Amino acid sequence: MVKVAVVGATGYAGEELLKILANHKKAEVTSVSAKIDQPQKISAIFPYLSGKIDLLCSEPDFDKIVCGCDLAFLALPHRVSMQIAPLFLKAEKKVIDLSADYRLKDKNTYEKWYGIQHSSPNYLDQSVYGLPEVYKDRIKEATLIANPGCFPTGVILGCLPLLVKHIADNQSIIADSKTGLSGAGREKEAVLIPKLKDNFMAYKINMHQHAPEIDQELTEISGKETVIIFVPHLIPIQRGILSTIYIRLNEQMGEQEIHKIYQQYYMDKPFVKILPLGESPQLKDVTQGNYCHIGLKLDQKKNMAIIVTAIDNLVKGASGQAVQNMNIMYGFEETEGLL
Ligand SMILES: NC(=O)c1ccc[n+]([C@@H]2O[C@H](COP(=O)([O-])OP(=O)(O)OC[C@H]3O[C@@H](n4cnc5c(N)ncnc54)[C@H](OP(=O)(O)O)[C@@H]3O)[C@@H](O)[C@H]2O)c1
């Protein structure tokens, strides 16, 4: 049994982690904490955990938490995680950080996009970007996982096979993503609900902080500088991200041929499903699960592949992927607790 601490347990991602861990056969939750005024049983906050996880949720007492766990999930806002992760790492405990604090390898890029100084940049080299469909071998050896962002997960998985095969024109990728409200975290939901009544909007057009993360990873994967145009949208639903990605191809190919490339690339990846040609992913098929569904279409005249991906931002885009990473780190079945 691996003993795990969940820090930030009352947030959206923390709650989703607890839901998954409550049914995980090889992990035991040993502490739950958050920025909370009155300590309360976590099963009083999330009653469906009753009888499964009944620990007291209180402000973190890190001396105690660190001693009692092998691994910590940090489901905390960025800038908070980078102060807390070192406490676990110095005690030789593993960390899976769901925030953005260790995803960008370049400290200056982080500071530019997040507008704050990085307080523990010495760990950036050591962190492994936790996208199992790319970095499974590195994840096995990792002590610090930078769990990918929700938008980057859907966009990168959509581009991956074409970039690995060097068929994509790296300078002309456009990703148009639509997300539900929970992507912004529990605190911001109340502000967003009235704005989204009968409404739908783009935001941070080509200025979203997940853009440099996507660029970094697509560049790493393809070995060639890749810069995408990324436009997120908010839609009036609770959870899920649907991304439509336009990729110009370097060579003429048929739709069947591209479809085969995707099928082959994801053949042994348990959480990515390539839909049959002619079918398009739908959020309702992926919400509450750790799957990414991918559909594709080729515009032969323009030599442009149009890829559509769907994920649940809180599961494959956050907590499900975090547990998938834990499973790989400890040599468990990759799907344990997630099917
Ligand atoms: N939401 C998503 O779809 C998603 C997807 C991928 C990654 N992420 C990332 O995952 C992290 C958590 O996101 P979220 O959506 O779950 O946010 P959230 O709903 O706002 O939850 C944040 C959690 O962190 C706790 N917290 C805040 N400051 C703290 C501190 N100083 N010490 C201890 N606990 C503290 C909060 O406690 P209180 O509630 O008691 O204040 C809450 O439990 C973020 O970095 C986010 O970017 C989120």
Side-chain angles (χ1 to χ4, degrees):
M1 272 298 195
V2 53
K3 292 184 183 154
V4 305
V6 177
V7 190
T10 55
Y12 274 139
E15 178 183 6
E16 204 62 40
L17 272 167
L18 293 174
K19 241 189 244 175
I20 298 168
L21 292 167
N23 295 312
H24 197 289
K25 292 193 184 74
K26 305 214 164 155
E28 179 197 353
V29 179
T30 52
S31 75
V32 288
S33 56
K35 206 172 74 195
I36 188 169
D37 298 336
Q38 290 288 330
Q40 262 191 89
K41 269 191 175 182
I42 196 74
S43 52
I45 301 171
F46 305 127
Y48 56 83
L49 292 175
S50 188
K52 292 183 169 175
I53 303 174
D54 290 304
L55 296 164
L56 197 66
C57 182
S58 55
E59 289 262 354
D61 169 350
F62 287 110
D63 287 341
K64 259 195 187 161
I65 295 174
V66 172
C67 283
C69 75
D70 305 308
L71 172 140
F73 288 104
L74 305 184
L76 295 166
H78 67 268
R79 84 190 167 274
V80 180
S81 274
M82 65 183 168
Q83 289 160 23
I84 289 172
L87 305 177
F88 290 91
L89 295 167
K90 281 180 191 153
E92 297 185 0
K93 306 296 168 113
K94 295 182 197 269
V95 171
I96 298 180
D97 176 31
L98 280 79
S99 87
D101 284 351
Y102 298 101
R103 295 182 199 149
L104 293 170
K105 289 290 176 193
D106 180 51
K107 172 181 172 285
N108 295 330
T109 309
Y110 176 87
E111 293 180 350
K112 176 181 157 203
W113 284 87
Y114 287 87
I116 36 168
Q117 276 210 320
H118 204 298
S119 63
S120 52
N122 46 319
Y123 290 104
L124 291 175
D125 279 349
Q126 162 184 344
S127 75
V128 172
Y129 192 73
L131 191 63
E133 290 74 14
V134 184
Y135 297 117
K136 191 167 174 179
D137 287 342
R138 291 193 213 168
I139 292 166
K140 281 179 193 163
E141 309 297 326
T143 48
L144 170 59
I145 294 286
N147 212 61
C150 47
F151 285 124
T153 296
V155 173
I156 296 168
L157 291 175
C159 298
L160 197 49
L162 291 176
L163 286 172
V164 169
K165 289 263 182 194
H166 304 291
I167 304 164
D169 170 357
N170 295 50
Q171 297 302 314
S172 73
I173 302 173
I174 298 172
D176 170 324
S177 299
K178 281 110 186 159
T179 181
L181 287 166
S182 58
R186 205 186 288 283
E187 265 181 39
K188 293 199 186 137
E189 190 177 19
V191 182
L192 289 174
I193 288 173
K195 286 189 183 173
L196 278 176
K197 187 169 178 331
D198 297 328
N199 199 10
F200 162 35
M201 67 189 95
Y203 69 104
K204 293 191 182 175
I205 299 172
N206 223 22
M207 289 170 58
H208 193 280
Q209 66 277 12
H210 285 172
E213 182 182 332
I214 298 169
D215 290 351
Q216 169 185 288
E217 291 309 312
L218 296 185
T219 298
E220 174 76 18
I221 288 159
S222 65
K224 239 176 154 184
E225 204 201 348
T226 308
V227 186
I228 74 154
I229 292 177
F230 173 58
V231 183
H233 300 73
L234 263 175
I235 53 172
I237 58 169
Q238 225 265 329
R239 53 204 284 166
I241 294 179
L242 192 121
S243 298
T244 307
I245 309 156
Y246 304 86
I247 308 178
R248 194 175 296 286
L249 305 181
N250 287 330
E251 48 187 279
Q252 287 285 341
M253 300 191 86
E255 198 170 65
Q256 303 266 9
E257 218 177 332
I258 296 174
H259 191 247
K260 205 165 178 189
I261 289 172
Y262 273 75
Q263 280 180 319
Q264 276 172 351
Y265 185 84
Y266 286 117
M267 202 163 49
D268 57 348
K269 317 282 193 294
F271 292 111
V272 181
K273 183 176 171 194
I274 307 303
L275 301 189
L277 282 171
E279 284 187 26
S280 187
Q282 302 187 50
L283 289 181
K284 72 177 177 55
D285 294 337
V286 295
T287 42
Q288 311 290 341
N290 197 46
Y291 286 89
C292 174
H293 284 188
I294 302 181
L296 65 90
K297 176 94 188 141
L298 179 70
D299 183 324
Q300 202 121 31
K301 244 186 176 172
K302 301 192 183 75
N303 207 25
M304 182 88 86
I306 303 162
I307 315 291
V308 181
T309 70
I311 59 167
D312 185 324
N313 54 299
L314 293 175
V315 190
K316 184 60 178 162
S319 307
Q321 184 140 264
V323 172
Q324 189 181 350
N325 282 318
M326 177 188 76
N327 289 342
I328 295 168
M329 289 163 95
Y330 285 91
F332 305 150
E333 275 293 318
E334 192 171 336
T335 55
E336 171 54 43
L338 294 167
L339 290 179

